[in-house]
Every structure is written in structure tokens, then in C-alpha cells.
Amino acid sequence: MDAIVIRAATPDDEAILSDLLSASYARLKGYDPRGLANALPLMSTANPKLLASGTYYVAEFAARAAGCGGWTREKPGTGETSDGVGHIRHFATHPDFLRRGVAKRLLRHCIDEARQRGVHVLMSQSTLPAESFYASAGFRRLNAIDVEMAPGIVLPAIEMRLDLS
Ligand SMILES: CC(C)(COP(=O)(O)OP(=O)(O)OC[C@H]1O[C@@H](n2cnc3c(N)ncnc32)[C@H](O)[C@@H]1OP(=O)(O)O)[C@@H](O)C(=O)NCCC(=O)NCCS
């Protein structure tokens, strides 16, 4: 079995990670198809600020980009920060690599790093089908939210929280 290698993303990863995000999010289940179609172009593009943040990562498996995800102190959408609080950002595993522990490794990396940097609470705006993934890592559901991706484009999501000890 090939090992999963985690490395920091860079702006040079924009094309490869946009391809990965597109392949992953195109398969999202549990959403109204029309609403999802409007949100997909926004969700499926790698975020340049995240790529340059130093806390956004690529998981490589068998020499391919198998997953991506990271964390920031800024809350997605608003850019607000709060002492001791971090936010999980833009996680996805390519459909060819699902259920092999790729996202789990990425999330573990983010949790460990955030804790080392003084974060006590990690928040996630989980897609509807990813709730079980975050729950498996100890996140608890707070409430259903609507994430405004752009004016008039809203994606239902689940706000989740992990307290770091
Ligand atoms: C959510 C996602 C990132 C999980 O990626 P993954 O690499 O397949 O996840 P892992 O293999 O690391 O799973 C770890 C654990 O999470 C849970 N889990 C993951 N996917 C699950 C699913 N579809 N249903 C139920 N539990 C799931 C399981 O407990 C799993 O452990 P197990 O395989 O030993 O049972 C992936 O399904 C994905 O890209 N989804 C579409 C994009 C998305 O919704 N991203 C989240 C943005 S907030």
C-alpha cells in the first residue's frame, strides 16, 4: 500500500487542485440539483488565498494529488478572527481515493498544527454528506446553516465544532 504524503499547497497547485475539487464536489449528494449547479463553479475552484496561506495542504497518494484541505484563523466568508478559534477549509478527496483515510490524515495534520499554534476550538462548515466524516473525528453538530457563496447563491451546510484539549 502506498503511503499518504502531506505537503503544503502552493499557488502552483491551483490547476491540479481545482481539478480535484471539481471531481469531488460534482458528486455531492443530498442537495437540490439546481441549487448545487449554481454553487459548484464557486466551490470547485481552488482558493488562491488558501493556496498561499501555508496552512492548506495536499495529500499525495501513489504520486497523485488525492486530497486537499486546510485550516485558517479567518472565518470563511467574513474573514473575522477570534482568539483561540480556527476554521477547517475546503476539504476534498478525489473520487478515485475515497475511504482510504486520505481526508482523515489531512484533518489530523490540521488539528495537530492548529493545537500547537494555540487554537482551542476548530469549526467546520460541513457539506451535508461530510457530517459523518467530521463526526468520526470528534466534531459535534451545532446547527444547520446556509453558507452564502455569492450574492443569491446559498449552500445548506452543517456547522460543527471540535474542542481541542
Ligand atoms: C468528506 C470527504 C472529504 C471524506 O474523504 P475520505 O478521504 O474518503 O475520508 P476518510 O477515508 O479519511 O474517512 C475517515 C472516516 O470518516 C468517515 N467517513 C468518510 N466518508 C464517509 C461517508 N461517505 N459516509 C460515512 N462516513 C464517512 C468514516 O468514519 C471514515 O472511516 P472508515 O472509512 O474507517 O469508516 C470526501 O467524501 C469528499 O471529498 N466529499 C465531497 C466533498 C466534501 O463534502 N468535502 C467536505 C467539505 S466541508
mmCIF file of all heavy atoms in Angstrom, residues 22-48:
data_model
loop_
_atom_site.group_PDB
_atom_site.id
_atom_site.type_symbol
_atom_site.label_atom_id
_atom_site.label_comp_id
_atom_site.label_asym_id
_atom_site.label_seq_id
_atom_site.Cartn_x
_atom_site.Cartn_y
_atom_site.Cartn_z
ATOM 1 N N SER A 22 -13.236 19.921 -8.377
ATOM 2 C CA SER A 22 -14.357 19.755 -9.328
ATOM 3 C C SER A 22 -14.831 18.312 -9.337
ATOM 4 O O SER A 22 -16.038 18.040 -9.278
ATOM 5 C CB SER A 22 -13.927 20.112 -10.756
ATOM 6 O OG SER A 22 -13.471 21.413 -10.819
ATOM 7 N N ALA A 23 -13.882 17.378 -9.416
ATOM 8 C CA ALA A 23 -14.256 15.960 -9.464
ATOM 9 C C ALA A 23 -14.970 15.551 -8.181
ATOM 10 O O ALA A 23 -15.950 14.802 -8.206
ATOM 11 C CB ALA A 23 -13.002 15.105 -9.660
ATOM 12 N N SER A 24 -14.501 16.079 -7.047
ATOM 13 C CA SER A 24 -15.076 15.698 -5.763
ATOM 14 C C SER A 24 -16.463 16.317 -5.550
ATOM 15 O O SER A 24 -17.438 15.616 -5.279
ATOM 16 C CB SER A 24 -14.121 16.133 -4.642
ATOM 17 O OG SER A 24 -14.729 15.938 -3.389
ATOM 18 N N TYR A 25 -16.566 17.620 -5.698
ATOM 19 C CA TYR A 25 -17.826 18.302 -5.375
ATOM 20 C C TYR A 25 -18.932 17.985 -6.380
ATOM 21 O O TYR A 25 -20.108 18.040 -6.032
ATOM 22 C CB TYR A 25 -17.604 19.810 -5.262
ATOM 23 C CG TYR A 25 -16.918 20.209 -3.968
ATOM 24 C CD1 TYR A 25 -15.603 20.634 -3.936
ATOM 25 C CD2 TYR A 25 -17.607 20.130 -2.760
ATOM 26 C CE1 TYR A 25 -14.971 20.982 -2.749
ATOM 27 C CE2 TYR A 25 -16.993 20.473 -1.564
ATOM 28 C CZ TYR A 25 -15.676 20.894 -1.572
ATOM 29 O OH TYR A 25 -15.066 21.219 -0.385
ATOM 30 N N ALA A 26 -18.550 17.624 -7.614
ATOM 31 C CA ALA A 26 -19.573 17.284 -8.616
ATOM 32 C C ALA A 26 -20.411 16.092 -8.159
ATOM 33 O O ALA A 26 -21.523 15.890 -8.638
ATOM 34 C CB ALA A 26 -18.913 16.983 -9.953
ATOM 35 N N ARG A 27 -19.887 15.296 -7.219
ATOM 36 C CA ARG A 27 -20.600 14.087 -6.775
ATOM 37 C C ARG A 27 -21.367 14.290 -5.476
ATOM 38 O O ARG A 27 -21.851 13.308 -4.897
ATOM 39 C CB ARG A 27 -19.589 12.970 -6.545
ATOM 40 C CG ARG A 27 -18.932 12.512 -7.810
ATOM 41 C CD ARG A 27 -18.102 11.310 -7.476
ATOM 42 N NE ARG A 27 -17.609 10.671 -8.671
ATOM 43 C CZ ARG A 27 -17.299 9.388 -8.739
ATOM 44 N NH1 ARG A 27 -17.455 8.617 -7.678
ATOM 45 N NH2 ARG A 27 -16.833 8.862 -9.844
ATOM 46 N N LEU A 28 -21.414 15.542 -4.998
ATOM 47 C CA LEU A 28 -22.088 15.779 -3.711
ATOM 48 C C LEU A 28 -23.534 15.312 -3.753
ATOM 49 O O LEU A 28 -24.276 15.653 -4.680
ATOM 50 C CB LEU A 28 -22.068 17.270 -3.376
ATOM 51 C CG LEU A 28 -20.841 17.831 -2.675
ATOM 52 C CD1 LEU A 28 -21.074 19.293 -2.366
ATOM 53 C CD2 LEU A 28 -20.531 17.055 -1.399
ATOM 54 N N LYS A 29 -23.908 14.554 -2.738
ATOM 55 C CA LYS A 29 -25.283 14.043 -2.685
ATOM 56 C C LYS A 29 -26.087 14.824 -1.634
ATOM 57 O O LYS A 29 -25.523 15.472 -0.772
ATOM 58 C CB LYS A 29 -25.258 12.566 -2.319
ATOM 59 C CG LYS A 29 -24.577 11.727 -3.383
ATOM 60 C CD LYS A 29 -24.940 10.266 -3.251
ATOM 61 C CE LYS A 29 -24.496 9.454 -4.446
ATOM 62 N NZ LYS A 29 -23.068 9.621 -4.788
ATOM 63 N N GLY A 30 -27.405 14.746 -1.751
ATOM 64 C CA GLY A 30 -28.260 15.318 -0.718
ATOM 65 C C GLY A 30 -28.649 16.762 -0.957
ATOM 66 O O GLY A 30 -29.285 17.384 -0.100
ATOM 67 N N TYR A 31 -28.280 17.308 -2.123
ATOM 68 C CA TYR A 31 -28.604 18.704 -2.427
ATOM 69 C C TYR A 31 -29.618 18.804 -3.558
ATOM 70 O O TYR A 31 -29.653 17.941 -4.452
ATOM 71 C CB TYR A 31 -27.337 19.464 -2.838
ATOM 72 C CG TYR A 31 -26.455 19.802 -1.669
ATOM 73 C CD1 TYR A 31 -25.312 19.073 -1.403
ATOM 74 C CD2 TYR A 31 -26.789 20.856 -0.824
ATOM 75 C CE1 TYR A 31 -24.504 19.382 -0.316
ATOM 76 C CE2 TYR A 31 -25.987 21.168 0.263
ATOM 77 C CZ TYR A 31 -24.853 20.430 0.511
ATOM 78 O OH TYR A 31 -24.078 20.745 1.588
ATOM 79 N N ASP A 32 -30.373 19.891 -3.527
ATOM 80 C CA ASP A 32 -31.232 20.227 -4.647
ATOM 81 C C ASP A 32 -30.323 20.441 -5.873
ATOM 82 O O ASP A 32 -29.380 21.256 -5.809
ATOM 83 C CB ASP A 32 -31.984 21.522 -4.307
ATOM 84 C CG ASP A 32 -32.545 22.160 -5.555
ATOM 85 O OD1 ASP A 32 -33.368 21.522 -6.204
ATOM 86 O OD2 ASP A 32 -32.130 23.296 -5.875
ATOM 87 N N PRO A 33 -30.547 19.708 -6.976
ATOM 88 C CA PRO A 33 -29.614 19.761 -8.112
ATOM 89 C C PRO A 33 -29.429 21.167 -8.696
ATOM 90 O O PRO A 33 -28.321 21.535 -9.078
ATOM 91 C CB PRO A 33 -30.260 18.831 -9.147
ATOM 92 C CG PRO A 33 -31.176 17.949 -8.372
ATOM 93 C CD PRO A 33 -31.625 18.730 -7.176
ATOM 94 N N ARG A 34 -30.525 21.952 -8.718
ATOM 95 C CA ARG A 34 -30.371 23.294 -9.310
ATOM 96 C C ARG A 34 -29.530 24.205 -8.425
ATOM 97 O O ARG A 34 -28.669 24.949 -8.881
ATOM 98 C CB ARG A 34 -31.732 23.922 -9.572
ATOM 99 C CG ARG A 34 -32.215 23.647 -10.996
ATOM 100 C CD ARG A 34 -33.371 24.522 -11.337
ATOM 101 N NE ARG A 34 -34.410 24.421 -10.315
ATOM 102 C CZ ARG A 34 -35.418 25.280 -10.174
ATOM 103 N NH1 ARG A 34 -35.511 26.306 -10.970
ATOM 104 N NH2 ARG A 34 -36.329 25.109 -9.235
ATOM 105 N N GLY A 35 -29.784 24.141 -7.119
ATOM 106 C CA GLY A 35 -29.017 24.963 -6.184
ATOM 107 C C GLY A 35 -27.547 24.572 -6.223
ATOM 108 O O GLY A 35 -26.650 25.423 -6.224
ATOM 109 N N LEU A 36 -27.306 23.260 -6.307
ATOM 110 C CA LEU A 36 -25.915 22.782 -6.334
ATOM 111 C C LEU A 36 -25.229 23.223 -7.633
ATOM 112 O O LEU A 36 -24.068 23.635 -7.617
ATOM 113 C CB LEU A 36 -25.893 21.256 -6.214
ATOM 114 C CG LEU A 36 -24.505 20.620 -6.133
ATOM 115 C CD1 LEU A 36 -23.740 21.136 -4.925
ATOM 116 C CD2 LEU A 36 -24.613 19.099 -6.074
ATOM 117 N N ALA A 37 -25.960 23.179 -8.731
ATOM 118 C CA ALA A 37 -25.364 23.575 -10.017
ATOM 119 C C ALA A 37 -24.887 25.024 -9.959
ATOM 120 O O ALA A 37 -23.846 25.365 -10.531
ATOM 121 C CB ALA A 37 -26.371 23.377 -11.146
ATOM 122 N N ASN A 38 -25.636 25.878 -9.272
ATOM 123 C CA ASN A 38 -25.210 27.280 -9.155
ATOM 124 C C ASN A 38 -23.965 27.431 -8.277
ATOM 125 O O ASN A 38 -23.111 28.276 -8.532
ATOM 126 C CB ASN A 38 -26.344 28.120 -8.545
ATOM 127 C CG ASN A 38 -27.491 28.292 -9.516
ATOM 128 O OD1 ASN A 38 -27.290 28.250 -10.724
ATOM 129 N ND2 ASN A 38 -28.691 28.473 -8.988
ATOM 130 N N ALA A 39 -23.897 26.603 -7.236
ATOM 131 C CA ALA A 39 -22.784 26.739 -6.276
ATOM 132 C C ALA A 39 -21.508 26.053 -6.761
ATOM 133 O O ALA A 39 -20.405 26.456 -6.385
ATOM 134 C CB ALA A 39 -23.196 26.146 -4.925
ATOM 135 N N LEU A 40 -21.665 25.025 -7.605
ATOM 136 C CA LEU A 40 -20.492 24.209 -7.968
ATOM 137 C C LEU A 40 -19.315 24.989 -8.556
ATOM 138 O O LEU A 40 -18.172 24.770 -8.155
ATOM 139 C CB LEU A 40 -20.901 23.093 -8.941
ATOM 140 C CG LEU A 40 -21.338 21.787 -8.290
ATOM 141 C CD1 LEU A 40 -21.703 20.762 -9.362
ATOM 142 C CD2 LEU A 40 -20.250 21.231 -7.381
ATOM 143 N N PRO A 41 -19.558 25.920 -9.490
ATOM 144 C CA PRO A 41 -18.393 26.634 -10.038
ATOM 145 C C PRO A 41 -17.620 27.392 -8.958
ATOM 146 O O PRO A 41 -16.388 27.512 -9.039
ATOM 147 C CB PRO A 41 -19.020 27.610 -11.050
ATOM 148 C CG PRO A 41 -20.345 27.016 -11.383
ATOM 149 C CD PRO A 41 -20.803 26.305 -10.149
ATOM 150 N N LEU A 42 -18.321 27.862 -7.936
ATOM 151 C CA LEU A 42 -17.645 28.614 -6.865
ATOM 152 C C LEU A 42 -16.890 27.676 -5.930
ATOM 153 O O LEU A 42 -15.792 27.980 -5.471
ATOM 154 C CB LEU A 42 -18.679 29.422 -6.071
ATOM 155 C CG LEU A 42 -19.464 30.444 -6.896
ATOM 156 C CD1 LEU A 42 -20.701 30.901 -6.160
ATOM 157 C CD2 LEU A 42 -18.562 31.633 -7.210
ATOM 158 N N MET A 43 -17.492 26.511 -5.658
ATOM 159 C CA MET A 43 -16.868 25.570 -4.721
ATOM 160 C C MET A 43 -15.711 24.816 -5.346
ATOM 161 O O MET A 43 -14.847 24.291 -4.656
ATOM 162 C CB MET A 43 -17.884 24.500 -4.291
ATOM 163 C CG MET A 43 -19.129 25.021 -3.669
ATOM 164 S SD MET A 43 -20.394 23.778 -3.754
ATOM 165 C CE MET A 43 -19.825 22.655 -2.490
ATOM 166 N N SER A 44 -15.713 24.728 -6.671
ATOM 167 C CA SER A 44 -14.794 23.823 -7.361
ATOM 168 C C SER A 44 -13.506 24.493 -7.810
ATOM 169 O O SER A 44 -12.716 23.891 -8.519
ATOM 170 C CB SER A 44 -15.494 23.224 -8.583
ATOM 171 O OG SER A 44 -16.645 22.536 -8.183
ATOM 172 N N THR A 45 -13.326 25.731 -7.413
ATOM 173 C CA THR A 45 -12.108 26.445 -7.788
ATOM 174 C C THR A 45 -11.223 26.567 -6.557
ATOM 175 O O THR A 45 -11.688 26.999 -5.502
ATOM 176 C CB THR A 45 -12.476 27.861 -8.295
ATOM 177 O OG1 THR A 45 -13.436 27.712 -9.347
ATOM 178 C CG2 THR A 45 -11.258 28.586 -8.814
ATOM 179 N N ALA A 46 -9.962 26.194 -6.713
ATOM 180 C CA ALA A 46 -9.032 26.332 -5.583
ATOM 181 C C ALA A 46 -8.916 27.811 -5.216
ATOM 182 O O ALA A 46 -8.832 28.670 -6.092
ATOM 183 C CB ALA A 46 -7.675 25.753 -5.960
ATOM 184 N N ASN A 47 -8.929 28.076 -3.927
ATOM 185 C CA ASN A 47 -8.929 29.454 -3.418
ATOM 186 C C ASN A 47 -7.482 29.966 -3.335
ATOM 187 O O ASN A 47 -6.679 29.433 -2.557
ATOM 188 C CB ASN A 47 -9.592 29.422 -2.028
ATOM 189 C CG ASN A 47 -9.620 30.762 -1.347
ATOM 190 O OD1 ASN A 47 -8.755 31.603 -1.577
ATOM 191 N ND2 ASN A 47 -10.594 30.940 -0.482
ATOM 192 N N PRO A 48 -7.122 30.994 -4.107
ATOM 193 C CA PRO A 48 -5.730 31.461 -4.126
ATOM 194 C C PRO A 48 -5.215 31.868 -2.746
ATOM 195 O O PRO A 48 -4.040 31.639 -2.425
ATOM 196 C CB PRO A 48 -5.760 32.673 -5.072
ATOM 197 C CG PRO A 48 -6.994 32.507 -5.883
ATOM 198 C CD PRO A 48 -7.974 31.759 -5.023
#
